[in-house]
Amino acid sequence: MFLEPEGLDTNEIYVNGMSTSMPIDIQTRMVASVPGLEEAEMIRPGYAIEYDAIDPRELTSALQVKSLPGLFLAGQINGTSGYEEAACQGLMAGLNAACYVGGLDPVVIERTEGYTGILIGDLIAKGADEPYRMFTSRAEFRLHLRIDNADERLTPIGRRLGLVNDERWNLFLKKKAQKEALTLALNATRIDPQRFGFLGLAADDRPTLAEWIRRPEARLAQLSSWIQDDLVHGVRETVETEIKYAGYISQQGRQVERLKGAERRPIPADFAYAGVPGLSTKFAKSSCASAPKPWAMRAEFLA
Ligand SMILES: Cc1cc2nc3c(=O)[nH]c(=O)nc-3n(C[C@H](O)[C@H](O)[C@H](O)COP(=O)(O)OP(=O)(O)OC[C@H]3O[C@@H](n4cnc5c(N)ncnc54)[C@H](O)[C@@H]3O)c2cc1C
């Protein structure tokens, strides 16, 4: 639990991590049971919201209802809870509805391309027994799904769909070119090991700037006089991150490629799941071909 002050001029504290809808007297005792909160006074109790949801396994990866082509669903009705969860699905369902009407192929973000892909992938494959929230821990490849490379992962998709104007696209291309040039220069520039604090190297050994950047304490900002100063925002940070974690990132890159290969392999519609030893009987028997059935969801919030 995190005790978060609500503001500078109030004594109110938000008990982050204690979402509950227990009766008030129990909530009061729960709070008082925390060392240091024995005297705390509860201003507003936590409470729950109930809503109906469909089984999201009834949806395609384009968020289209399998049994009702042309109907696209997004947000809480698909078993999620949360602003971002609803917003990203709204974007994808809207995009795909437009593609459907325009006779275009569906737009799907893969698990390896963005958290939206993880969320939709999880929902349509595993369903949601309780309100689904997006956590970074749900992603297999967190080193790859970084804030600083979101544009590299998603802007080309947006451009393909006509959602990225020329100005933004040109800035994206400029950033990409600058990133490549800076990475190349760092790998090609050899330095005086003593000046950069390298110890125990052979007399004629000349490490590269990239090797220096891999050191935990080394920062590209320390080379500001060497680096061109008209870099697009974010280039420096991305280059530094990618050089520092190059080994891990390339290892994850290989795993991403393997997963992409597996994801591109469709399971035939007549696949005999029952014949696969080890598949749970519950899973083998569940049918996803029927019309969506609503079921109740319960999300708990702290007031
Ligand atoms: C008290 C509370 C606190 C929350 N706090 C947080 C938080 O801190 N952070 C967070 O991420 N999430 C929070 N959530 C969850 C988040 O608000 C929801 O999960 C999210 O807004 C759901 O978005 P949605 O678009 O799926 O549904 P909604 O926002 O419920 O939108 C559905 C819309 O459909 C309309 N509608 C319904 N029936 C019809 C109909 N027949 N015809 C036409 N329109 C219709 C409704 O009026 C509504 O505008 C909170 C929710 C509650 C209730």
Side-chain angles (χ1 to χ4, degrees), residues 45 60 64 75 79 92 119 127 132 180 187 221 223 238 258 260 301:
T60 68
Q64 182 172 206
M92 296 313 294
L119 178 138
Y132 180 100
E180 282 162 13
N187 277 299
L223 303 176
T238 304
R258 271 207 300 278
K260 273 189 175 166
F301 297 101

Side-chain angles (χ1 to χ4, degrees), residues 14 47 49 51 74-77 80-87 133 301-302:
Y14 184 88
Y47 58 96
I49 299 290
Y51 59 97
Q76 219 164 253
I77 195 167
T80 61
S81 175
Y83 305 151
E84 295 86 353
E85 288 81 353
R133 300 237 47 180
F301 297 101
L302 200 58

Side-chain angles (χ1 to χ4, degrees), residues 35-294:
L37 300 188
E38 297 85 350
E39 305 291 320
E41 191 183 316
M42 191 161 63
I43 298 170
R44 282 180 298 277
Y47 58 96
I49 299 290
E50 284 190 356
Y51 59 97
D52 287 338
I54 58 123
D55 181 344
R57 289 172 300 176
E58 314 268 358
L59 302 172
T60 68
S61 51
L63 295 181
Q64 182 172 206
V65 178
K66 287 178 188 166
S67 54
L68 292 168
L71 178 65
F72 294 79
L73 301 180
Q76 219 164 253
I77 195 167
N78 290 344
T80 61
S81 175
Y83 305 151
E84 295 86 353
E85 288 81 353
C88 72
Q89 289 176 74
L91 180 65
M92 296 313 294
L95 252 174
N96 276 304
C99 288
Y100 179 83
V101 171
L104 303 173
D105 285 341
V107 180
V108 175
I109 293 183
E110 309 285 349
R111 292 185 79 79
T112 49
E113 289 174 330
Y115 280 96
T116 299
I118 309 248
L119 178 138
I120 295 176
D122 282 350
L123 286 179
I124 65 167
K126 302 179 196 162
D129 292 338
E130 56 180 58
Y132 180 100
R133 300 237 47 180
M134 191 69 246
F135 302 118
T136 49
S137 57
R138 298 193 192 269
E140 297 87 346
F141 307 118
R142 293 195 280 290
L143 274 184
H144 179 61
L145 300 181
R146 305 192 311 271
I147 295 169
D148 68 275
N149 67 0
D151 56 345
E152 281 179 50
R153 290 182 277 113
L154 301 170
T155 304
I157 301 177
R159 178 70 177 178
R160 210 176 61 232
L161 297 167
L163 298 173
V164 173
N165 64 22
D166 287 347
E167 191 189 345
R168 194 167 149 214
W169 183 241
N170 288 335
L171 187 67
F172 170 77
L173 293 179
K174 184 175 170 190
K175 186 178 165 192
K176 202 163 166 249
Q178 285 184 343
K179 192 189 130 184
E180 282 162 13
L182 181 56
T183 307
L184 208 67
L186 288 165
N187 277 299
T189 308
R190 304 220 161 252
I191 50 173
D192 172 3
Q194 269 173 358
R195 230 190 101 207
F196 282 79
F198 281 90
L199 300 172
L201 293 185
D204 58 348
D205 209 344
R206 289 276 177 276
T208 62
L209 271 174
E211 283 170 85
W212 173 72
I213 283 291
R214 268 183 215 124
R215 300 180 145 207
E217 71 281 4
R219 291 282 176 277
L220 266 183
Q222 293 165 259
L223 303 176
S224 50
S225 56
W226 180 81
I227 294 177
Q228 63 181 95
D229 52 13
D230 67 337
L231 288 182
V232 175
H233 174 76
V235 171
R236 214 180 284 200
E237 292 72 16
T238 304
V239 168
E240 189 175 298
T241 304
E242 293 190 352
I243 290 181
K244 277 194 186 300
Y245 300 99
Y248 301 105
I249 291 174
S250 68
Q251 187 187 4
Q252 213 163 74
R254 287 192 294 276
Q255 292 169 340
V256 165
E257 283 313 310
R258 271 207 300 278
L259 182 73
K260 273 189 175 166
E263 276 183 342
R264 277 189 217 108
R265 239 173 104 177
I267 301 177
D270 59 353
F271 186 79
Y273 291 93
V276 181
L279 261 189
S280 88
T281 31
K282 181 178 154 220
F283 188 74
K285 278 184 189 159
S286 78
S287 155
C288 293
S290 53
K293 296 172 285 291

Side-chain angles (χ1 to χ4, degrees), residues 20-22 27 45-50 297-302:
T20 173
S21 58
M22 293 296 234
Q27 292 197 29
Y47 58 96
I49 299 290
E50 284 190 356
M297 283 284 175
R298 188 177 170 87
E300 291 184 328
F301 297 101
L302 200 58

